[in-house]
Amino acid sequence: MSGGAPTLPAPALPDRIARLLPFERSLVEVDGVRLHVMEGGGAGPSAPVALLLHGNPTWGFLWRKVATALSGAGLRVVMPVLAGLGLSEKPRSAAFHTLARHASLVRGLVEALTPGPVVLALHDWGGPIGFLAMADLPGRLAGLVVTNTGVRPPRPGHRPTAFHRFSNLPLVSDAAFKLLGFPQNALHRAQAEPASISGDVAFAYRWPLRRIADRAAPLALARMVPIREPHPSLDGLRRAQEIATGFAGPSAIVWGDRDPILGRALRGVAEALPRATVVRVPAGHYVQEEAPVPIADAIRDVARRARLA
């Protein structure tokens, strides 16, 4: 890992996870918070960066197949992990988890990684966080690939998803998220093919959050989604939308049509990104597990059109 941020060795992983992650791993300290980062792609430290940003409740493991498919693309493929998830530092206060805080950490990581242009590939909460992170880095966003995320605040009268309504129920959601390990223990239910998250793969998603004390982030991130006004995320979401809609560079959308959480959100995302090419795939919410090659192809194409690869 290059750059000016303090870097430490990454924690060890169980063999059944480590064998699935043939990448360089490290902890990068940003604003006093240690973030787990994986790098692949086979390019050197001076190569253009493709930043692959996950959402809730996953971690950089989500992008491993995409990163492998990008080998030889001439890109430095970076898979950071949001604070509170994966092997990143896990603050135990729900108050830590705000859209502004996460965006600030990602922005600091980008500044530590490279002074050059960045291709963003975004999923779930990684979408708004990534857009907001780039708001204070003008000119750095060179290309964009969006997968099953949101790029704007909910419209007036919007009906929240069942998942987000449940996450705001007092007591019962606390018990499900913190005591029962929801939703990381049930990711397969959001897939077109449930077997795509099973065995060692399912274990890899559960393992970083195996301790109850480390489970603050999934519920806090779920509650970061506005289901009513006023809400502290709304200003950040509006600014993230401005970055998305104002981006005139090469962009692409790769969308899992069988996503029970955000599948129907494609129309709104396409309206916000009218210049983007759109590829629809028969995949669930964690589309990287079921359709990694179309995502990698989109990243290659966007990087090529941005004249980075």
Side-chain angles (χ1 to χ4, degrees), residues 73 75 119 250 297-309:
L75 295 168
V119 173
D297 288 345
I299 294 171
R300 285 176 185 265
D301 180 62
V302 162
R304 178 190 59 78
R305 287 189 281 146
R307 299 183 179 180
L308 298 181

Side-chain angles (χ1 to χ4, degrees), residues 158-231:
H158 168 79
R159 178 173 172 78
T161 67
F163 172 79
H164 294 111
R165 294 196 305 272
F166 175 77
S167 69
N168 282 269
L169 293 177
L171 300 179
V172 63
S173 62
D174 290 83
F177 278 76
K178 295 181 180 178
L179 299 180
L180 303 180
F182 181 77
Q184 60 270 16
N185 290 345
L187 301 187
H188 63 285
R189 295 183 177 274
Q191 295 298 81
E193 177 50 66
S196 65
I197 298 182
S198 61
D200 287 349
V201 172
F203 174 76
Y205 284 118
R206 295 192 307 266
W207 187 81
L209 296 170
R210 62 197 180 281
R211 291 185 286 262
I212 291 175
D214 287 340
R215 294 176 181 170
L219 181 57
L221 285 163
R223 289 178 176 174
M224 272 169 45
V225 176
I227 65 169
R228 63 180 66 88
E229 294 190 44
H231 191 281

Side-chain angles (χ1 to χ4, degrees), residues 63-153:
W63 291 99
R64 71 197 183 284
K65 294 180 182 179
V66 177
T68 298
L70 286 170
S71 179
L75 295 168
R76 182 180 167 204
V77 181
V78 180
M79 297 160 278
V81 179
L82 298 175
L85 295 170
L87 299 187
S88 288
E89 189 170 342
K90 297 180 177 63
R92 295 182 177 180
S93 170
F96 173 93
H97 297 282
T98 66
L99 176 53
R101 176 76 60 83
H102 282 286
S104 177
L105 291 172
V106 171
R107 180 176 65 250
L109 182 63
V110 171
E111 290 176 317
L113 285 171
T114 176
V118 174
V119 173
L120 278 185
L122 306 171
H123 181 257
D124 194 87
W125 256 122
I129 290 170
F131 285 126
L132 190 56
M134 301 307 292
D136 293 323
L137 296 172
R140 299 288 300 281
L141 180 58
L144 177 64
V145 176
V146 171
T147 72
N148 292 56
T149 185
V151 298
R152 64 187 184 189

Side-chain angles (χ1 to χ4, degrees), residues 144-146 249-255 266 269-270 273-280 294 297-299 301-302 304-305:
L144 177 64
V145 176
V146 171
S251 58
I253 299 168
V254 182
W255 203 262
L266 173 59
V269 173
L273 299 169
R275 304 176 190 88
T277 61
V278 179
V279 176
R280 302 169 69 153
D297 288 345
I299 294 171
D301 180 62
V302 162
R304 178 190 59 78
R305 287 189 281 146

